[in-house]
DNA sequence: ATCGTTGCAAACGGTTTGCAATTCG
DNA sequence: CGAATTGCAAACCGTTTGCAACGAT
């Protein structure tokens, strides 16, 4: 994730992290909730992670600091509600998460052999999709587009054997 | 589903059902498995359903005939393995299933208000996708493309309130 | 006789919930 | 003080598995 470019001329990573934190606290406040220490820690951990994380990984890393599993789940849910975190369901196993940095929307290429997840941007597809849905009166809120197959490395290995 | 057109000049629904059954039994035979009565019943139930079904619905309908839950799960898995059944994960709750009738590949519009699932075909998107993946060496096996939002009816209701 | 298949019940794994103690405003 | 929040443990729910009985060659 880190090596991916953000919007041209846009905020740098730290500024984004800052912005996300603000957006989260605003969302919480709006709903009569509080930005507490555990919640802040979970968000920070997600923000500085350079990859997709699952609940277990977050929990294990933050457990030494006394954070419980339920809080991880609850915070993830709040972040999703506030539209700052997106969920990626792989081929199997628990879903992974990534913070919505403000960069172009991207979809995922999931390798069914090694499990790696690569990101891909498809502005063209987004447009077609949006247009077609508007035509039939369907109001798009978000979408999930996951391509399953073999990543370049695994595709090669597949052919060798 | 029923009102959707199949390939122009293609087989009618009953012939398709027949064909799927044959494909399934071939798949089973190839793997040293048998097309038993419970398996046939589950497939038939899926074939004559005009909508996406989840495991529970299949089980409940077939339970009176003595079919157990495990068999439903096991048969669903076999049908997926044989590429005759596809899984649709909605916004929440258990996944739903539909038989792969031999019609153009379609994606799904899932209404986050009423839960309805509408189908949509995007030959253009498929092409772009295929091309882009080939370029980066990713070998596509299948994909999941689900769009979440408000269906026409719910979008209207949303605006009224 | 053999080997796949079945339903059952128990186990499983990820997630949610009830609750008493705690924290924060 | 009062309301939101916490960690814990138990409950939950969809799914998988071990198993003894069964079924089909």
């Amino acid at each position: 994730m880190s090596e991916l470019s953000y919007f041209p001329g846009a905020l740098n990573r730290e500024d984004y992290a800052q912005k996300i934190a603000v957006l989260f606290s605003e969302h919480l406040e709006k709903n009569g909730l509080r930005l507490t220490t555990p919640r802040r820690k979970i968000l920070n951990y997600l923000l500085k992670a350079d990859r997709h994380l699952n609940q277990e990984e977050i929990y294990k890393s933050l457990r030494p600091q006394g954070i419980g599993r339920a809080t991880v789940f609850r915070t993830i849910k709040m972040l999703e509600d506030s539209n700052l975190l997106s969920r990626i369901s792989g081929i199997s196993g628990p879903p992974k998460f990534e913070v919505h940095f403000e960069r172009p929307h991207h979809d995922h290429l999931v390798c069914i052999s090694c499990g790696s997840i690569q990101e891909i941007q498809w502005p063209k597809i987004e447009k077609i999709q949006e247009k077609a849905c508007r035509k039939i009166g369907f109001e798009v809120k978000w979408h999930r587009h996951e391509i399953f197959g073999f990543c370049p490395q695994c595709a090669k290995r597949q052919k060798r054997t």
Side-chain angles (χ1 to χ4, degrees), chain A:
Chain A
M1 251 173 75
S2 60
E3 69 285 351
L4 274 169
S5 61
Y6 300 131
F7 273 127
L11 302 173
N12 63 30
R13 188 179 186 84
E14 287 71 35
D15 290 340
Y16 265 124
Q18 180 59 30
K19 191 175 170 187
I20 299 267
V22 170
L23 289 173
F24 187 39
S25 104
E26 282 174 2
H27 166 85
L28 292 174
E29 194 163 358
K30 209 184 313 174
N31 291 77
L33 306 169
R34 297 167 189 166
L35 182 46
T36 61
T37 309
R39 287 175 190 169
R40 200 188 309 272
K41 278 182 181 168
I42 291 167
L43 177 55
N44 279 340
Y45 188 72
L46 279 160
L47 280 169
K48 65 174 199 270
D50 269 1
R51 54 198 183 81
H52 306 94
L53 299 170
N54 63 35
Q55 170 276 137
E56 184 68 19
E57 292 169 314
I58 303 170
Y59 171 68
K60 277 218 182 103
S61 307
L62 265 27
R63 180 78 275 257
Q65 300 181 45
I67 289 175
R69 199 171 243 117
T71 302
V72 174
F73 275 107
R74 288 190 275 233
T75 305
I76 285 175
K77 183 160 286 175
M78 287 174 200
L79 284 164
E80 286 190 276
D81 287 347
S82 60
N83 233 311
L84 296 171
L85 194 68
S86 59
R87 173 185 299 246
I88 305 135
S89 309
I91 162 71
S92 75
K96 300 185 166 197
F97 300 91
E98 65 172 351
V99 175
H100 259 167
F101 277 98
E102 266 191 18
R103 49 199 174 87
H105 177 79
H106 56 275
D107 298 320
H108 294 97
L109 305 180
V110 181
C111 180
I112 55 179
S113 171
C114 69
S116 73
I117 298 175
Q118 189 178 346
E119 303 180 341
I120 188 163
Q121 289 171 21
W122 273 323
K124 230 186 283 180
I125 287 186
E126 309 275 317
K127 286 227 185 68
I128 296 173
Q129 186 175 285
E130 191 60 48
K131 212 162 119 191
C133 287
R134 193 160 31 224
K135 204 155 82 184
I136 60 173
F138 189 95
E139 194 183 323
V140 177
K141 283 296 169 189
W142 76 87
H143 74 270
R144 170 158 63 192
H145 193 170
E146 291 157 340
I147 322 277
F148 297 94
F150 295 110
C151 69
Q153 297 90 306
C154 291
K156 261 181 236 151
R157 189 170 339 119
Q158 207 76 8
K159 264 159 207 150
R160 277 210 305 278
T161 57

